[in-house]
Amino acid sequence: MQRDTTKSFSYDAKARDGAARVGAITTPHGIVRTPAFMPVGTGATVKAMFPEDVEASGADIILANTYHLMLRPGAERIARLGGLHKFMHWEKPILTDSGGYQVMSLAKLRQIGERGVTFQSHIDGAAVELTPERAVEVQCLLGADIQMVLDECTSYPATRQEAKTSLDLSLRWAERCKAAFAARAEAGQALFGIVQGSVYPDLREESARALIGIRFDGYAIGGLAVGEGQAAMLDMVEATNTVLPKDRPRYLMGVGTPEDLMESIGRGVDMFDCVMPTRSDRHCQAFTWGGRLNLRNARYAEDATPLDPESSCPAAQYERAYLHHLVRSGEALGAMLLTYANVQFYQELMARTREAISQGRFASFADEVRRRYREAPAEEETDA
Amino acid sequence: MQRDTTKSFSYDAKARDGAARVGAITTPHGIVRTPAFMPVGTGATVKAMFPEDVEASGADIILANTYHLMLRPGAERIARLGGLHKFMHWEKPILTDSGGYQVMSLAKLRQIGERGVTFQSHIDGAAVELTPERAVEVQCLLGADIQMVLDECTSYPATRQEAKTSLDLSLRWAERCKAAFAARAEAGQALFGIVQGSVYPDLREESARALIGIRFDGYAIGGLAVGEGQAAMLDMVEATNTVLPKDRPRYLMGVGTPEDLMESIGRGVDMFDCVMPTRSDRHCQAFTWGGRLNLRNARYAEDATPLDPESSCPAAQYERAYLHHLVRSGEALGAMLLTYANVQFYQELMARTREAISQGRFASFADEVRRRYREAPAEEETDA
């Protein structure tokens, strides 16, 4: 699908079941059905997947990492080559993060100031500056359908004062991003604000209200899944979502397990991203309708059962014994099949979730998912 | 395609142009059009390729390595799981080597005797014995359509006496393989002998004549592409092929570049295998109709040309700039796309070769391939 500049960004709620909701986000590159899970395409590729298989899995949108792409191959280079969609053979919507989180987690010699953050590239040591204005410029060069403001991802744990200082800086940066975006973005592109405030409900509320005052196209909940635990995370989601406007999409960043998704959707979240399904191949973890499996486990050495008989993913039809052999041997095909099956499982999970919400049976559906993942916990590796 | 036990192994020559020939090998899992290039599926997978893409590339047959599979996951295990075709999702013909070559190149603490070879597994150090009888047993357990005799791959360089001693041992092993195969193989399965003799034409002839006396379903030329150079290799191919029967397929093991294939086909070879197209991804080498490219080369950083505009492979439609980015970033998708494009290039090369032979213009076709590969030599890596 080519970019359609006549389409402006919008969110339409279609159905509701408790706080859980089904909706549709319209972007220049097509519709995103929500709740939506965005596979992570860090370096202009969803790791070990052909783009057509990402699409076949049911994904309406992927996430790409501004930090990685601005360092390699460079945002200006991608723009000269026709933009990120064309570059990576993905013509559906793309959301880009602002790069702020990776600067904190990957870059060296970070220095944060009012103006922005300077750091050394983790690839070649080059000195790089990322300001709110540059973050928007890079995301415009990439041609993202949904951009994120540059924020300071508050580290965990943080005192109330640290969280407040960090939140205030993020708000000033958010205003600068909004101004830069207004000056530069193309029709239909969207900019999301990011709620911070660590684990302090009143700071979360303060952050959300201030962002609403600036007016964004959608709102993300950031700075979570960083060690605070699921209960604290869900408290913050709840505190934030009571404040966020109902006519805008809500995006919980960097989350999570199937259980996390059920809990968060039940509290009104619409969008997610997480590296878990695409990184799990390296840990040999498979997400299936029967729960989580560790394919290295010796019990699968002669298990002729398909990986996930309940999935319609072609990769999930491969026998567990073969996948066990592939991951034990370090074969690329093992990562390819597990990633495909995991990405499609997450998409099937979202599709069934949307159906359950539309039919007013979300609570029992979420219970069933929790039960399956409780009964089949992540397994320890054993020798064959 | 399921195994058809009513089909017995046969080779039918269809057309001839000089010494080059077009033919068809019938096996229980289908027809192999010759000249044929067999992608290498060492560990029950053609590296970084989905089985359906190997088939889509045009491959009629793949090679699997007995040595690797007997060590991991084990031949008995694969047999319990229904055989190698089912295990690796490949229902077309499979040729297995005997394991002899890998014992020489990979295993530790090798001891060769009249009975066979004992060695330590390179994976876990386990002591393993490979005899002619065991090599056939393993290949029967895997369910290979075409099996190879266990031979001693004569090292290079070898004196005439060393080559003769080695050749004689290989002939005694070949007789034992034939006896074991006769006792155990299923209808339609085939066993190939392997001509040795280092770079001595009279020894090659002696080896070939002795093997013909034992009577095999096909004949391979082994112990070449081990450092003797292309001219010596082609001399041995010529010396051997003048002796080999015209009603049996001829297989040059472990060869080679597109130029090697043209030279060998022009001397009457029907079958090839080589890791080059499937290992080249690790070296970032692409085989295209325009010659060989090194995708790491900085010249491709903003080259929006498809990898190979002349290929019909889906992977060859990706822009060079994107492939450059992927290989520079060490992304799995780079290996996936390059391997797919290389495997399909080799298949397209064989398809066009068969067409050229059938139309009586093989010489000019081979000249054109040589010209393209001469004009675009393998490129050195440079920095971006």
Side-chain angles (χ1 to χ4, degrees), chain A residues 189-203:
Chain A
Q189 292 182 325
L191 180 66
F192 280 23
I194 304 177
V195 176
Q196 291 287 350
S198 190
V199 291
Y200 305 100
D202 58 324
L203 293 186

Side-chain angles (χ1 to χ4, degrees), chain A residues 43-45 47-48 50-52 72-73 77 80 87 89 301-302 318-319 322 325-326 328-329 331 336-337, chain B residues 43-45 47-48 50-52 72-73 77 80 87 89 301-302 318-319 322 325-326 328-329 331 336-337:
Chain A
T45 156
K47 285 196 186 301
F50 291 120
E52 57 264 39
R72 184 170 61 190
R77 175 169 285 172
R80 284 193 295 273
F87 184 64
H89 288 228
E302 297 200 9
Y318 280 74
E319 292 80 6
Y322 184 53
H325 166 68
L326 293 174
R328 284 274 178 153
S329 306
E331 288 286 354
M336 291 160 61
L337 291 170
Chain B
T45 156
K47 286 195 185 303
F50 291 121
E52 57 264 39
R72 184 169 62 192
R77 175 169 285 171
R80 284 194 295 273
F87 184 64
H89 287 229
E302 297 201 8
Y318 280 74
E319 292 80 5
Y322 184 53
H325 166 68
L326 293 174
R328 283 275 178 153
S329 306
E331 287 286 354
M336 291 160 62
L337 291 170

Side-chain angles (χ1 to χ4, degrees), chain B residues 211-288:
Chain B
L211 291 167
I212 294 165
I214 305 173
R215 289 183 58 88
F216 287 99
D217 299 302
Y219 298 89
I221 309 172
L224 292 176
V226 290
E228 74 283 356
Q230 198 198 45
M233 176 181 86
L234 295 175
D235 284 348
M236 293 308 106
V237 168
E238 217 162 304
T240 308
N241 278 348
T242 52
V243 178
L244 291 179
K246 296 205 187 314
D247 62 345
R248 297 290 165 193
R250 304 161 185 160
Y251 161 29
L252 179 56
M253 303 180 82
V255 173
T257 64
E259 307 93 303
D260 288 337
L261 267 52
M262 292 303 107
E263 298 295 343
S264 307
I265 290 168
R267 288 165 175 81
V269 175
D270 305 303
M271 301 167 70
F272 302 91
D273 78 284
C274 186
V275 294
M276 219 175 288
T278 44
R279 184 175 281 169
S280 289
D281 63 272
R282 283 169 259 165
H283 307 290
C284 318
Q285 297 277 338
F287 292 91
T288 75

Side-chain angles (χ1 to χ4, degrees), chain B residues 151-171 193-211 220-226 228 232-233 235-237 239-240 253:
Chain B
D151 64 341
E152 190 196 12
C153 184
T154 313
S155 55
Y156 180 83
T159 66
R160 195 190 155 74
Q161 186 52 50
E162 287 165 349
K164 168 72 174 145
T165 305
S166 169
L167 179 166
D168 288 339
L169 177 65
S170 286
L171 285 175
I194 304 177
V195 176
Q196 290 287 351
S198 190
V199 292
Y200 306 99
D202 58 322
L203 293 185
R204 287 276 166 188
E205 194 178 323
E206 178 184 333
S207 173
R209 289 195 193 283
L211 291 167
I221 309 172
L224 292 176
V226 290
E228 74 283 356
M233 176 181 86
D235 284 348
M236 293 308 106
V237 168
T240 308
M253 303 180 82

